[in-house]
Amino acid sequence: MAVESEVITEGSVDRVLNGQQYNRGVRLHKLLYEALKRLAWKGFLDWFQKNQAAEQQSLIEDSGVLFVGLTQSTNQENLDSVLHNPRLALLFDLFQQYLSFLRSDGGPLAQFWMSYIDMVETLLHLIGSSREGNWLLHLYAIRAVLPWCFAYETQFTMPK
């Protein structure tokens, strides 16, 4: 998949998977993460239309109007008004509920990909904490990665 999408060349796939080409590997994970989140959003829109009350159906259109307004006038005041909008917060809460549904009741394949999304988010937190020097975020990310190490029986080895 990575070769066909021209994210990684055929000759470097094994080195990326072995951790020898770190930057390309992180790039691959970021792109796959974004693709999976977009698929989840698309599924959320269908789920939302089927499962939400009629009075909440305008929530997505209202949020779209907020973002269009933000693109037309990008300043701190508009950004703050969008980020603190209660209808947008409600939409994000509903999206988080949908992601929780996928993690628990979405079936084995959805659970697998949601665990992948969670692991990539942890990787991004680790990278961000190192770049920012944010010790609390680093501790949070380490705490988040430990269960995955035991779940997948990961054995850490020092490179030669």
Side-chain angles (χ1 to χ4, degrees):
M1 173 181 70
V3 173
E4 289 297 319
S5 62
E6 297 179 358
V7 174
I8 298 173
T9 61
E10 189 172 342
S12 61
V13 170
D14 59 335
R15 291 189 299 277
V16 167
L17 294 177
N18 289 331
Q20 295 171 335
Q21 293 186 338
Y22 173 80
N23 290 335
R24 288 183 186 168
V26 170
R27 181 172 177 263
L28 172 65
H29 289 303
K30 285 180 177 180
L31 290 171
L32 189 52
Y33 172 85
E34 182 180 350
L36 291 171
K37 280 289 205 149
R38 286 178 183 237
L39 285 173
W41 182 256
K42 185 177 178 182
F44 167 71
L45 294 177
D46 294 338
W47 175 83
F48 183 82
Q49 289 176 347
K50 292 176 188 171
N51 297 312
Q52 294 305 311
E55 62 269 6
Q56 290 186 338
Q57 292 295 326
S58 66
L59 199 59
I60 293 176
E61 292 174 15
D62 295 347
S63 299
V65 169
L66 285 173
F67 287 120
V68 167
L70 184 61
T71 60
Q72 293 173 350
S73 176
T74 54
N75 58 42
Q76 190 64 42
E77 183 180 324
N78 285 348
L79 178 62
D80 288 340
S81 70
V82 168
L83 292 178
H84 295 99
N85 187 295
R87 295 200 35 93
L88 187 61
L90 176 61
L91 182 66
F92 284 146
D93 287 343
L94 289 170
F95 183 59
Q96 290 304 318
Q97 287 177 18
Y98 176 70
L99 295 179
S100 295
F101 163 76
L102 290 178
R103 284 183 183 92
S104 59
D105 300 327
L109 187 59
Q111 291 172 354
F112 170 78
W113 286 115
M114 290 308 297
S115 70
Y116 175 80
I117 285 173
D118 293 340
M119 285 187 278
V120 173
E121 285 177 353
T122 302
L123 169 69
L124 296 175
H125 286 139
L126 280 169
I127 292 169
S129 69
S130 295
R131 290 180 179 170
E132 298 170 9
N134 187 337
W135 181 244
L136 292 177
L137 181 59
H138 179 78
L139 291 176
Y140 169 81
I142 293 296
R143 185 174 184 174
V145 82
L146 286 175
W148 293 114
C149 294
F150 289 103
Y152 289 105
E153 298 179 14
T154 303
Q155 295 179 0
F156 293 101
T157 57
M158 295 300 290
K160 296 177 183 178

